[in-house]
Amino acid sequence: MEGIADSRILIPPRTKSRRAQAVVEQGIKAFFGGNALVAVIVLALITIFLFREGFGFFGQNLSNLRLYRQAGLEYVDIIRGVASRHEALSRNLSEIRLSEVRAAQKRNAPLEEINAALAPFDRFASAFSDTADNLHGIVSDLTEQASELKEQLFARAELLAQRSQLERSGAATAAEKIVVPEIDRAAALTRLREGSANFESVSAEMTAKLYNLLAEAPPLPDPAGQKAFEQWKTRTREYLAGLPAASEKLRTWSPDAPIPWYRSISSFLFGREWVTASFWQDWYGIIPLLVGSILVSIVALFFAVPLGIASAIYVSEIASAHEKRLIKPYIEFISAIPSVVLGFFGIAVVGQAVRAASQSSLLKWISFFPISERLNIFTAGCLLGFMAVPTIFTLAEDALRNVPRGFKEASYALGANRLQTIGRVLVPASLSGIVSAVLLGLGRVIGETMVVLLCAGNRIAIPDFTQGLGAVFQPVHTMTGIIAQEMGEVVRGSTHYRALFMVGLVLFTITLAINYLAQKLVARYRMSIG
Amino acid sequence: MVATLEMPETTSPTIVNQPEQVPKAEIERAMIEIEQLDFAYGAHQVLHGVNLNIPARAVTAFIGPSGCGKTTLLRCLNRMNDLIDSARITQGAIRIEGVDINAPGVDVVDLRRRVGMVFQKSNPFPKSIYDNVAYGLRIAGITKRSLIDEAVEKSLRSAALWEEVKDRLHVSGYGLSGGQQQRLCIARALAVEPEIVLMDEPCSALDPIATAKVEELIRQLKEQYTIVIVTHNMQQAGRCSDHTAFFYLGRLIEFDQTAKIFSNPAQRQTEEYITGRFG
């Protein structure tokens, strides 16, 4: 009782007026509320900006696709497709030759002997590739014509847009001054068709030549090579059988066939090509970037999940208090390393080490070793995994620590050992917390930019999955990487610019979904622990 | 744990630390022998020279004000204090059927299977009722379904819960009421067929009806098990225990037949505590 009496003396009675107090209260409320409001508004503005810049993409992409058809580029690409399949077959022949040479070298045959044995095959291969000479001639002529027409059409569309903009803003005289050249598209397209008129005769001639060639194809010394060669022959026959279909396509192709609006969306979401600033045709397909991001994330999680969760279990259940004090801040410190530094480390050390390891004779038995690219999915994934460890560790450790003590005690009291308690009680009880830790780690990984930009190799292509796990050692480009790399160079408002925004939106949606899922899981986990 | 170690603030001035003059009750067969036990958390000693023989197949109650060390002593009996760093027995021994449980050769897993425990707050695992009861068997390596089925039914019957849950064995244990959850925890402890069951204030979170059921259960269980129960509830100790030990400030003050303790205690401190003059 005496203590209370003393404190009355220590703290003087409040002298401020009620009004002054109200002002202070309001000031406090305004300060904190204002900060929260700024954060909310900024987030809303970012979202609105993203959507505004991004959605313009679809209209522009649609006109881009329409121009592709109207200028006859699509028409030329049909013929180009025929020619490039021929080239692919030609490449297959050289691959067969290479494996043939390797097989012979294993038998320790001298090089001259190998070359002599393969001479008939070489003659066959060069004859094969010669058959397409005429075809390539047609393609290169038509390419020039079509791209010229495209240029003209594009320039005209630009001028028209400029003029209508001037008219809208009221500068009628200035608008008059802009001369829009008339383009005789019909004539140009007719020329295009004339140029390709001999496609049918060329392809018929090529077909005849190839059938003759196939009939007198030389045998190969190595049985495996012979088998591959036979498979190649079947493919070639299939190719030849498909030629009339290409001719048919050319005949029925119409430059004015409508392109439905949804093609603009589907060509983005499902397009397998991302080609920009090309003289021919730009493609904005997100699939190679999406696949790149996903593969890098899978590799990252492959490393980060076991590392993060196992160290969380160790710290929360096994480590002594002293170890805890040491390990926890140490792991959490990883997140303080700037990602660009990690990227350097990835290029200079990890990539180099992985390639060196792949070249060692101990790992020769792995079919896709040695690898050729130092910077690839694996390198980037390793580093990203490392970056995700603190996120997963911290949250998983939280989840494990929050498991009620009673569960642990009950388990031990029933005669469980430590492993059983961890595996049968603690981990199941905190599972949703752990899963959400992994999801948040995934969110971190998929949104990370610098490391993938530096270490993923930046080749815009879908990896060759026929190599199985070897696909992981190929370079890719990612959604985050492409935005960082190309955003600085694009013309503001161009289709490319807007395409990058769309990529950003897709990324935004993915991370939002991941975070939402993670939060739902955390909420459920809290309830189940009660 | 540590939070309960604070000394009661209203220390009666009449009580001073008294030398060991604890009378031993007449016991036919001692299941647990506690001899001159000192126990400390780090530098803080909580048990001072406890001597106690706990009889087999009977209910022994530990009573005393908060922080008197009764829960600590209970947790020594199945070595749950091993989980706490810096907590250790500094002197003395605990023997169960003549074997020192802290001897280097004793397997703690084995000990805990023989000495089951029920906690103050019911703590079923976030699993089904069936899996909760089967847990102890499964971690002991029993995989045969029929054996587990049988043991689950038997334990739930022993815990007087079978009739209430037999139709919903595979729903979560959290769907049960507080009293049912505590009986589920008792069933879980019984499933591994212990010889001794330790109960740490098992009814402190239960309403009077659930408490009555658990007390009834305790009286039945003593036919087969040696039971040690910590309680703050004098009536409870009076109703369901055969022997009572009164602790104060880490010392055993008095241990005798419950009827004797409650009607005619030998020590004045015991009397004052029981009649509610302090504590």
Side-chain angles (χ1 to χ4, degrees), chain A residues 177-249:
Chain A
K177 274 188 196 150
I178 292 177
V179 184
V180 179
E182 285 309 312
I183 295 164
D184 194 351
R185 193 165 69 89
L189 284 170
T190 315
R191 275 205 302 285
L192 206 64
R193 279 187 186 276
E194 276 164 8
S196 68
N198 52 349
F199 172 75
E200 281 183 42
S201 62
V202 165
S203 82
E205 189 192 344
M206 186 176 79
T207 312
K209 272 189 194 166
L210 282 181
Y211 274 124
N212 285 341
L213 263 178
L214 282 176
E216 54 199 46
L220 281 172
D222 187 62
Q226 184 61 32
K227 198 178 155 206
F229 194 33
E230 290 301 330
Q231 279 170 355
W232 178 86
K233 282 182 198 164
T234 338
R235 278 208 300 280
T236 309
R237 287 201 189 90
E238 279 164 11
Y239 166 68
L240 289 174
L243 284 181
S247 307
E248 182 58 33
K249 235 177 167 178

Side-chain angles (χ1 to χ4, degrees), chain A residues 406-407 409 411 420 424, chain B residues 75 112 123 127 135 139 174:
Chain A
F407 290 175
E409 292 199 327
S411 173
Q420 287 167 330
R424 289 175 187 240
Chain B
R75 289 166 63 97
R112 288 182 188 148
N123 54 357
K127 297 171 187 280
Y135 182 83
I139 56 167
Y174 278 92

Side-chain angles (χ1 to χ4, degrees), chain A residues 71-87:
Chain A
L73 269 66
E74 189 182 37
Y75 183 77
V76 181
D77 270 345
I78 298 173
I79 304 176
R80 193 197 303 279
V82 174
S84 57
R85 279 200 294 282
H86 187 282
E87 269 174 37

Side-chain angles (χ1 to χ4, degrees), chain A residues 319-321 404-417 420-421 424-425 428-429 528-530, chain B residues 75 78 80 83-85 109 112-113 115-117 119 123-127 135-136 138-139 174 188-189 192:
Chain A
S320 68
R405 217 183 124 104
F407 290 175
K408 196 160 94 174
E409 292 199 327
S411 173
Y412 282 121
L414 285 164
N417 59 31
Q420 287 167 330
T421 305
R424 289 175 187 240
V425 176
S528 75
I529 293 298
Chain B
R75 289 166 63 97
N78 66 346
M80 282 305 274
L83 300 180
I84 300 164
D85 294 332
V109 165
R112 288 182 188 148
R113 265 178 212 145
V115 186
M117 189 162 192
F119 296 83
N123 54 357
F125 298 127
K127 297 171 187 280
Y135 182 83
R138 289 199 174 126
I139 56 167
Y174 278 92
R188 182 176 65 185
V192 290

Side-chain angles (χ1 to χ4, degrees), chain A residues 292-305:
Chain A
S293 281
I294 291 174
L295 282 177
V296 170
S297 307
I298 289 174
V299 173
L301 286 189
F302 177 81
F303 289 108
V305 168

